[in-house]
């Protein structure tokens, strides 16, 4: 955009200033492009199954060891080796096909055992 504005301004400026306008626009455009590419690499959106790992899920049907959980309003089949009752919150550890492998979340305020 900056380069386009600079080229339009160059038509109305006398000789040395039209070249300065174009070079300035080219410089601004280069900085903007470099900045935009860096942001695009850093803020790559996570989608798909990988984005669910680490999220919390609410148990809808008891997981002893298999059951159903709700994640972002969707129902998923889940496997929980420790078992979890209806209404408990579990953490998604990984996916095994279309089944979520979940584990119990540590109670808030409690220290993990060593």
């Amino acid at each position: 955009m900056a380069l386009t504005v600079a080229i339009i301004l160059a038509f109305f400026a006398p000789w040395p200033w039209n070249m300065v306008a174009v070079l300035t626009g080219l410089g601004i455009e280069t900085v903007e492009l470099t900045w935009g590419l860096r942001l695009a690499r850093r803020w790559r959106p996570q989608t798909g199954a990988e984005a669910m790992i680490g999220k919390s899920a609410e148990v809808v049907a008891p997981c002893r060891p298999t059951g159903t959980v709700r994640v972002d309003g969707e129902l998923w089949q889940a496997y929980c080796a420790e078992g979890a009752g209806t209404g408990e919150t579990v953490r998604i550890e990984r996916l095994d096909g279309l089944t979520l492998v979940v584990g119990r979340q540590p109670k808030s305020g409690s220290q993990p055992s060593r």
Side-chain angles (χ1 to χ4, degrees):
M1 185 71 185
L3 184 58
T4 305
V5 171
I7 290 172
I8 292 171
L9 287 175
F11 283 116
F12 301 107
W15 155 241
W17 295 110
N18 59 5
M19 186 59 72
V20 170
V22 170
L23 291 176
T24 302
L26 187 61
I28 291 171
E29 199 67 34
T30 303
V31 169
E32 184 179 347
L33 183 64
T34 304
W35 176 68
L37 288 174
R38 284 188 182 179
L39 284 179
R41 283 190 202 111
R42 189 175 353 153
W43 292 343
R44 191 162 294 188
Q46 282 191 337
T47 58
E50 296 81 23
M52 292 190 346
I53 295 173
K55 280 190 169 185
S56 296
E58 179 187 352
V59 178
V60 176
C63 293
R64 306 223 193 289
T66 59
T68 307
V69 297
R70 183 183 315 272
V71 182
D72 295 333
E74 298 176 345
L75 295 176
W76 286 79
Q77 291 296 318
Y79 175 82
C80 184
E82 306 96 38
T86 305
E88 288 186 47
T89 302
V90 292
R91 192 175 132 279
I92 301 170
E93 295 174 353
R94 67 179 194 280
L95 268 81
D96 184 16
L98 291 176
T99 302
L100 300 177
V101 178
V102 298
R104 289 178 173 248
Q105 281 189 325
K107 302 266 191 231
S108 60
S110 66
Q111 295 288 331
S113 60
R114 294 184 188 227

